[in-house]
Structure formats: C-alpha cells, structure tokens
Amino acid sequence: QQWYSNSMKVICMWLADRLDLQLHIYQLKTLIKIVKKTYRDFRLQGVLEGTLNSKTYDTVHSRLTVEEATVSVTDAGGLQGITMKDSDE
C-alpha cells in the first residue's frame, strides 16, 4: 500500500511541476500505461479501494484525462488506442 501511494505521489508531483505545460504525446502515453498498470496490479494484490482511489490518484487521473482529451482534439490518432478509460468500464 505504501509503495502504491508513494508511486502515485511521485507522478502527481511530477505533473504538478509541469502544470502549465502540455505533456508531449510520448510522455502522456507512457504515464497512462504506468498509472493503469500500477492501479491494476495493486488492485489484484488486494490493496483496498480507499488506498487505490486516493485523492492523489484522482488528481493524476484527472490530469491525464484532460491531457488525453487535448491530444485527441489536436492530433487525431496520436494516442493510438491508449486511453485512461478502464476496459472494465
């Protein structure tokens, strides 16, 4: 649980440092993959929903969703099917 929380905090701080900058397409793709894989892996390991869906995770998820929307408007096909939307939804 602590490893998951710390991982999300690091990503959140990195995004906060670049709050006024749009992410490059490769940064966005990589972060989406990392965040989704981390979330899924720790969910499978039995980490509680309260820890998984923390405020930090919500902040990261929101930022990446906004960046994803921006890219989809400006660069059609740039993400090539990579999205923050969970396949379970």
Side-chain angles (χ1 to χ4, degrees):
Q1 290 178 351
Q2 185 178 6
W3 194 86
Y4 173 81
S5 296
N6 287 340
S7 298
M8 287 301 137
K9 284 179 189 173
V10 167
I11 293 170
C12 189
M13 288 187 325
W14 189 86
L15 288 170
D17 289 344
R18 290 150 185 83
L19 195 57
D20 55 342
L21 302 172
Q22 183 178 350
L23 297 178
H24 189 274
I25 186 81
Y26 298 112
Q27 291 173 319
L28 181 58
K29 283 179 168 181
T30 303
L31 284 172
I32 288 173
K33 287 180 181 179
I34 289 169
V35 169
K36 286 178 70 172
K37 177 137 179 65
T38 302
Y39 183 91
R40 286 183 181 147
D41 286 354
F42 279 90
R43 184 178 63 189
L44 288 173
Q45 293 297 321
V47 174
L48 300 174
E49 289 293 321
T51 303
L52 288 173
N53 296 317
S54 65
K55 179 132 176 83
T56 304
Y57 172 77
D58 288 342
T59 302
V60 169
H61 188 277
S62 296
R63 170 71 187 275
L64 294 178
T65 302
V66 168
E67 291 283 345
E68 176 187 337
T70 303
V71 167
S72 68
V73 169
T74 59
D75 184 13
L79 288 175
Q80 299 168 339
I82 298 171
T83 176
M84 279 304 293
K85 185 173 182 179
D86 197 1
S87 59
D88 297 341
E89 293 177 352

